[in-house]
């Protein structure tokens, strides 16, 4: 499949991407990621490996679109690492003050 990443045309295939990423250790990711084989890779890491360009030269959206068109599963940052519920200031204050005893009500 022909795609343009950072204004350069690339002929990518699913098997070519699998071969390129074989043996590459996934970096920790907090944003968008791509499932390649059994590993989730940050989109920018995948783009750097398959294009041999600096990560600053392309956007994560360009790589995500290309990987999705090849049939890879892409995830947004919110899906990739579910964040724990951060307490609101009211919840924090309530926890610090404690709950009222039944006699005080």
């Amino acid at each position: 499949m022909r795609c343009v990443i950072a204004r350069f045309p690339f002929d990518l295939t699913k098997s070519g991407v699998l071969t390129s990423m074989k043996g590459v250790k996934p970096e920790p990711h907090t944003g968008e990621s791509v499932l390649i084989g059994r590993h989730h890779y940050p989109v920018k890491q995948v783009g750097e490996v398959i294009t041999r360009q600096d990560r600053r030269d392309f956007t994560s959206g360009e790589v995500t679109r290309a990987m999705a068109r090849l049939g890879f599963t892409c995830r947004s940052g919110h899906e990739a690492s579910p964040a724990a519920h951060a307490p609101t200031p009211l919840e924090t204050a309530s926890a610090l003050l404690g709950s009222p005893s039944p006699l005080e009500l």
Side-chain angles (χ1 to χ4, degrees):
M1 174 196 72
R2 192 160 188 84
C3 64
V4 176
I5 298 175
R7 300 179 313 272
F8 292 99
F10 292 94
D11 287 318
L12 299 176
T13 62
K14 189 167 187 168
S15 62
V17 172
L18 289 168
T19 303
S20 296
M21 296 305 294
K22 190 172 191 174
V24 176
K25 183 180 177 188
E27 297 172 353
H29 57 87
T30 56
E32 297 176 349
S33 66
V34 180
L35 178 63
I36 299 176
R38 293 179 290 170
H39 301 285
H40 286 278
Y41 292 90
V43 171
K44 289 284 197 163
Q45 181 184 13
V46 173
E48 185 176 52
V49 170
I50 64 175
T51 65
R52 296 188 179 117
Q53 294 180 336
D54 190 275
R55 295 175 191 208
R56 295 171 291 185
D57 293 340
F58 54 85
T59 65
S60 60
E62 292 174 303
V63 179
T64 301
R65 280 188 297 276
M67 295 298 103
R69 285 178 56 198
L70 287 173
F72 291 103
T73 302
C74 300
R75 300 171 116 185
S76 69
H78 302 292
E79 297 170 9
S81 57
H85 168 68
T88 65
L90 179 62
E91 292 171 334
T92 303
S94 296
L96 291 173
L97 293 172
S99 60
S101 66
L103 297 177
E104 294 176 5
L105 294 176

